[in-house]
Amino acid sequence: QVQLVESGGGLVKPGGSLRLSCAASGFTFSDYYMSWIRQAPGKGLEWVSYISSSSSYTNYADSVKGRFTISRDNAKNSLYLQMNSLRAEDTAVYYCARVVGATQYYFDYWGQGTLVTVSS
Amino acid sequence: DIVMTQSPDSLAVSLGERATINCKSSQSVLYSSNNKNYLAWYQQKPGQPPKLLIYWASTRESGVPDRFSGSGSGTDFTLTISSLQAEDVAVYYCQQYYSTPSFGPGTKVDIK
């Protein structure tokens, strides 16, 4: 069965950095595009970033462009999100999700999420 | 960017009754080349991640009960729960994937 397990969340000060990881199992990770989606406490869902199966293509929401970097290691079945220059408004649960499609896509499996809190 | 709206914000329905959730996109998500609507629906129960219910506006994901159905085209879409069960209490989100993904604000469904 498909499993996505996020880790790396925690409390960080404004301006700080954090690296999230997502360990995938139960499917051929290297065949799928992957994405990060976040949800601020009590709020809705916001797509954050996306990476192609071979890492050749990435895309970011305007709200994180230039501060966040998505990457993957297909040998380790792992997805990453490097978050720099963090702001209070980045506080959210971050989900990794498997993508269905390529340039136009939805999400068929989601991890349980990892909470990132940006506060002094 | 395509902006998604949903109505109502919340609704309470008696067990066994019908629940209807509306979703509207700021521009059409119907792709003329394949006549498909790039619209998905998700269910999120408290403390859980979202779960895919429907894609292509009306195709149920494997394992989703047939009391869930999606309809609509272009800019206006509907998720219908034909006979509400206690386990359907959740927030429901629509998502367009015609362009960079965007989600609706969610509709909370409760038992009356």
Side-chain angles (χ1 to χ4, degrees):
Chain A
Q1 67 285 18
V2 172
Q3 274 203 308
L4 299 169
V5 180
E6 302 92 337
S7 61
L11 175 63
V12 61
K13 289 181 168 53
S17 298
L18 214 52
R19 188 196 196 206
L20 306 183
S21 299
C22 172
S25 60
F27 66 103
T28 304
F29 181 70
S30 57
D31 284 349
Y32 286 85
Y33 291 27
M34 297 292 295
S35 200
W36 288 98
I37 298 148
R38 69 184 180 184
Q39 186 171 35
K43 302 296 185 183
L45 301 165
E46 179 189 15
W47 170 81
V48 172
S49 184
Y50 147 100
I51 187 166
S52 62
S53 54
S54 63
S55 304
S56 58
Y57 182 75
T58 60
N59 197 14
Y60 299 91
D62 288 344
S63 58
V64 307
K65 201 170 291 183
R67 299 187 299 122
F68 290 11
T69 303
I70 192 171
S71 63
R72 64 191 294 162
D73 185 335
N74 286 343
K76 294 183 178 180
N77 291 338
S78 293
L79 175 72
Y80 305 102
L81 186 68
Q82 177 67 43
M83 304 186 296
N84 298 331
S85 303
L86 282 161
R87 306 167 180 166
E89 55 264 36
D90 295 319
T91 294
V93 173
Y94 284 73
Y95 297 103
C96 71
R98 193 175 80 168
V99 165
V100 179
T103 55
Q104 295 164 301
Y105 51 92
Y106 56 93
F107 313 99
D108 64 347
Y109 287 95
W110 300 57
Q112 289 294 317
T114 187
L115 176 62
V116 173
T117 304
V118 184
S119 175
S120 54
Chain B
D1 291 1
I2 299 177
V3 176
M4 307 299 291
T5 57
Q6 290 182 231
S7 63
D9 294 336
S10 64
L11 75 161
V13 175
S14 300
L15 289 173
E17 296 301 304
R18 178 184 301 260
T20 301
I21 300 167
N22 300 301
C23 172
K24 190 174 184 69
S25 56
S26 60
Q27 63 188 75
S28 176
V29 298
L30 173 63
Y31 206 49
S32 55
S33 63
N34 59 11
N35 202 36
K36 287 189 172 185
N37 287 284
Y38 285 60
L39 192 284
W41 288 96
Y42 301 86
Q43 174 195 63
Q44 186 176 31
K45 297 181 180 180
Q48 294 186 20
K51 173 189 172 184
L52 176 66
L53 293 177
I54 285 170
Y55 54 95
W56 300 128
S58 60
T59 302
R60 257 189 314 274
E61 174 72 336
S62 175
V64 173
D66 61 6
R67 63 180 180 273
F68 291 92
S69 63
S71 63
S73 185
T75 61
D76 293 280
F77 300 90
T78 299
L79 175 70
T80 301
I81 310 172
S82 61
S83 175
L84 191 76
Q85 306 299 303
E87 60 266 32
D88 301 335
V89 168
V91 178
Y92 293 84
Y93 295 94
C94 59
Q95 177 231 326
Q96 66 79 20
Y97 50 104
Y98 184 92
S99 64
T100 302
S102 56
F103 295 87
T107 294
K108 185 176 182 181
V109 174
D110 269 318
I111 305 294
K112 186 187 290 184

